[in-house]
Amino acid sequence: MSVFVLAEVAGGVLALDATAKAVTAAAKLGDVTALVCGPVAAGEEAAKIAGISKVLVCEDAAVADGLAENVAKLIIENASGATHIVAPASTSGKNVLPRVAALLDVMVLTDVIEIVNAETFKRPIYAGNAIQTVASSDSVKVLTVRTAAFEAANAGAAAPVVSVSLSEASALSTHIEHKTLESDRPELTSAKIVVCGGRGVGSENGFALISGLADKLGAAVGASRAAVDLGYAANDLQVGQTGKVVAPDLYIAVGISGAIQHLAGMKDSKVIVAINKDEDAPIFQVADYSLVADLFEALPELTGKL
Amino acid sequence: MKILVPIKRVIDYNVKVRVKSDGTGVDLANVKMSMNPFDENSVEEAIRLKEAGIATEVLVVSIGEKKAVETLRTALAMGADRGILVETEHGVDIEPLAVAKILSKIVAEEAPELLILGKQAIDNDLNATGQMLAALLDWGQATFASGLKIEDGKAIVTREVDSGLQTIAVSLPAIVTTDLRLNEPRYASLPNIMKAKKKPLVEKTATDYGVDTTPRLKVLTTEEPASRTASIRLGSVDELVEKLKETGIV
């Protein structure tokens, strides 16, 4: 069996954690070839991930910004013979892989959380309120994997790196700009600790309390959909079914009631702490440690004592 | 410019989903059903483009059981002009690949210049139909849109991506899939609900389009997710600090 993995690249740099987790899932299925759309340096970085036997690197400008038409075409041109095509279930993987699947006339399986065998996979449905076990009868299995559900593959390999090019770039879409929100904090989906604020935080200024605790702990900052919609935090910090799915070692939910769609994005965290003044908040049903308290008093105290 | 908006009837997003104890699926009997939330964003965006004089007609299509007519009427009451129901067997969720194939046939008949779809349906959470349809039509795609403008034969789309916001230009005809922050969908007013009953709505079946909807995926079981251990209530911040230190994480 031969598995083709689309590596995760952001801003010309390999997203090592997401890629290494996808490789762990892929390596259960067979021999792994990884495609890196980015500079050779990113390809060389990927070549160190244990479990990869070959890296293809494409430096073409046409794929540098992840445009789906070009990246999907590049995958089709290079993945012939693959039994499985795998990508992290990131916004780029989710953008590209369904397009690849349709070009191959096969179904796509998204957000896979467990590889049962070469044809059978588990994935969440209904915002994680049910887990489906699905068998595919397609000739090629195309899947995105939820990185939070897999451990990262170790470093230590030295796979060969080969350059590839796209036969002909599509003119259907063009990249205009990319606005990245600069932050010194760890990236949300790979952070060991996440401090997440919700509607209860009350304002953009109130959100500084969340950031303060996060900085003390070296944690990433997250936000509920309500907090994002109210303008307290940027959209790329949203944790939930429609935002990012995280599973850190420690998740601290502050002023978050725990809507179904939010729980779907964090309930696989190893230790969950919830701080909320409403003792009936649904978040307490998934929390390991619950503190019923006014966050404006509890949070400064907690930050001070840690 | 004609805009086609595919919509899906799904379990209402506020309903707590119950998994059947025999593992055959989730219990949909007597459960409130609504338009998929992302599809509401799509309908809203299409109507706004019509109100702005950019679109001339908004056509809504639903592929599903007979009752999806209700969902189409909701979209018509919001302001869409015309509806098509492609009726499928009750209780069978048609896979995105087959949905995309049916939609591609409707696109061939109707020749819309823009399709706006929700980024994912909140039942199967697959997030695939828009991308698959773009591939079948060989059109450009802009997924997870939080901003959309039409300029010089192009859709200028701001996309919500993991690392921030990406803006791309896609030549029309094009596929756009919507994210929640694109707009705030309107409620249908009572007079508009009455008016919607008279708007044209035709009923078809998948076989009318010659599409094989046989599933490629076989669902073996549907289970409850693993539950977590009971929560420990703490009395003070000091207790919390102690527990956090015990975990060894902080």
Side-chain angles (χ1 to χ4, degrees):
Chain A
M1 299 236 259
S2 157
V3 189
F4 192 91
V5 173
L6 175 65
E8 182 78 7
V9 180
V13 179
L14 183 79
L16 181 62
D17 186 71
T19 304
K21 285 173 173 171
V23 168
T24 296
K28 292 178 200 284
L29 296 162
D31 192 45
V32 177
T33 298
L35 170 66
V36 176
C37 294
V40 169
E44 286 170 349
E45 188 73 16
K48 295 177 193 159
I49 299 171
I52 294 186
S53 30
K54 187 178 174 187
V55 172
L56 306 180
V57 60
C58 180
E59 293 188 283
D60 295 0
V63 296
D65 300 300
L67 294 172
E69 299 81 10
N70 289 330
V71 177
K73 194 172 172 195
L74 182 67
I75 292 173
I76 298 289
E77 288 176 356
N78 288 280
S80 61
T83 53
H84 297 77
I85 299 175
V86 178
S90 59
T91 47
S92 45
K94 288 177 172 178
N95 187 34
V96 172
L97 256 57
R99 189 171 180 112
V100 170
L103 292 172
L104 296 170
D105 192 28
V106 300
M107 256 300 284
V108 65
L109 283 150
T110 55
D111 271 318
V112 167
I113 55 168
E114 188 181 326
I115 313 274
V116 178
N117 59 43
E119 289 84 37
T120 314
F121 309 92
K122 289 192 181 188
R123 58 179 302 275
I125 56 171
Y126 292 96
N129 285 297
I131 307 295
Q132 235 176 21
T133 304
V134 188
S136 165
S137 59
D138 280 322
S139 54
V140 182
K141 278 74 174 169
V142 178
L143 46 142
T144 64
V145 295
R146 184 171 280 190
T147 50
F150 297 92
E151 298 289 332
N154 294 324
V161 179
V162 180
S163 274
V164 292
S165 282
L166 185 63
S167 61
E168 194 189 350
S170 157
L172 289 171
S173 67
T174 47
H175 172 84
I176 297 174
E177 64 168 356
H178 192 151
K179 280 189 198 157
T180 312
L181 297 133
E182 293 296 331
S183 171
D184 296 333
R185 299 195 185 98
E187 203 269 317
L188 191 52
T189 53
S190 56
K192 296 257 182 278
I193 306 176
V194 173
V195 183
C196 194
R199 187 191 297 272
V201 173
S203 67
E204 201 176 343
N205 290 336
F207 220 81
L209 291 174
I210 303 293
S211 314
L213 177 59
D215 289 343
K216 187 73 179 272
L217 295 171
V221 169
S224 71
R225 184 176 139 198
V228 172
D229 286 349
L230 289 164
Y232 303 168
N235 69 272
D236 60 341
L237 298 183
Q238 186 190 324
V239 172
Q241 180 190 18
T242 58
K244 287 178 185 165
V245 177
V246 301
D249 293 339
L250 174 62
Y251 187 88
I252 304 178
V254 185
I256 292 177
S257 63
I260 292 168
Q261 73 87 23
H262 181 76
L263 302 183
M266 46 64 77
K267 66 185 167 55
D268 293 327
S269 304
K270 292 195 179 70
V271 177
I272 297 174
V273 173
I275 302 173
N276 199 304
K277 66 179 177 189
D278 173 11
E279 62 178 276
D280 296 323
I283 189 80
F284 289 133
Q285 289 166 18
V286 300
D288 298 285
Y289 300 113
S290 302
L291 182 63
V292 179
D294 183 344
L295 70 95
F296 295 101
E297 289 165 15
L299 223 51
E301 188 184 347
L302 180 61
T303 307
K305 285 179 174 169
L306 280 168
Chain B
M1 178 172 78
K2 187 193 285 186
I3 303 180
L4 196 161
V5 182
I7 59 177
K8 187 174 186 183
R9 183 173 184 266
V10 298
I11 192 165
D12 187 88
Y13 78 101
N14 281 313
V15 172
K16 171 85 177 117
V17 171
R18 289 188 203 290
V19 177
K20 289 186 196 166
S21 54
D22 62 0
T24 57
V26 302
D27 194 356
L28 293 176
N30 305 316
V31 166
K32 186 184 178 197
M33 304 291 279
S34 299
M35 192 189 305
N36 181 45
F38 295 102
D39 301 348
E40 292 184 330
N41 296 101
S42 306
V43 173
E44 176 65 33
E45 196 66 14
I47 295 167
R48 287 187 191 187
L49 287 169
K50 190 181 171 198
E51 287 168 348
I54 295 164
T56 49
E57 187 185 22
V58 177
L59 170 62
V60 286
V61 175
S62 192
I63 298 167
E65 60 179 308
K66 183 91 179 175
K67 282 188 171 170
V69 163
E70 293 166 15
T71 316
L72 287 166
R73 291 285 176 206
T74 303
L76 296 173
M78 285 172 74
D81 298 296
R82 186 159 62 89
I84 300 175
L85 170 73
V86 181
E87 193 180 338
T88 59
E89 197 185 330
H90 174 78
V92 179
D93 189 35
I94 306 297
E95 290 174 350
L97 181 62
V99 169
K101 286 179 179 179
I102 295 169
L103 290 173
S104 73
K105 304 279 183 178
I106 297 175
V107 167
E109 283 177 4
E110 296 282 347
E113 278 185 88
L114 180 65
L115 266 90
I116 310 181
L117 303 87
K119 75 167 179 180
Q120 75 193 64
I122 61 163
D123 49 5
N124 62 36
D125 280 334
L126 273 163
N127 189 338
T129 303
Q131 298 91 312
M132 292 190 126
L133 180 58
L136 298 179
L137 295 168
D138 195 21
W139 288 9
Q141 70 183 55
T143 50
F144 324 142
S146 64
L148 169 63
K149 281 185 296 183
I150 305 295
E151 277 175 16
D152 306 329
K154 288 185 171 150
I156 313 295
V157 179
T158 302
R159 307 179 55 234
E160 292 197 355
V161 296
D162 289 335
S163 55
L165 295 170
Q166 181 190 32
T167 304
I168 63 173
V170 190
S171 300
L172 298 177
I175 302 279
V176 172
T177 78
T178 57
D179 223 318
L180 293 173
R181 272 171 291 279
L182 179 61
N183 56 45
E184 187 87 29
R186 70 194 66 192
Y187 291 102
S189 66
L190 191 59
N192 285 342
I193 291 170
M194 301 311 288
K195 260 191 258 172
K197 290 181 180 167
K198 296 197 183 90
K199 288 187 177 176
L201 197 163
V202 297
E203 297 187 15
K204 303 265 195 177
T205 65
T207 45
D208 291 340
Y209 295 99
V211 172
D212 178 6
T213 59
T214 310
R216 306 295 186 85
L217 307 176
K218 186 177 178 195
V219 178
L220 304 178
T221 59
T222 304
E223 305 158 281
E224 292 259 9
S227 60
R228 297 186 68 96
T229 50
S231 182
I232 297 172
R233 290 267 163 141
L234 304 173
S236 68
V237 169
D238 287 326
E239 274 185 56
L240 175 56
V241 171
E242 194 183 313
K243 290 291 182 193
L244 287 176
K245 287 188 173 155
E246 275 174 24
T247 64
I249 303 165
V250 300

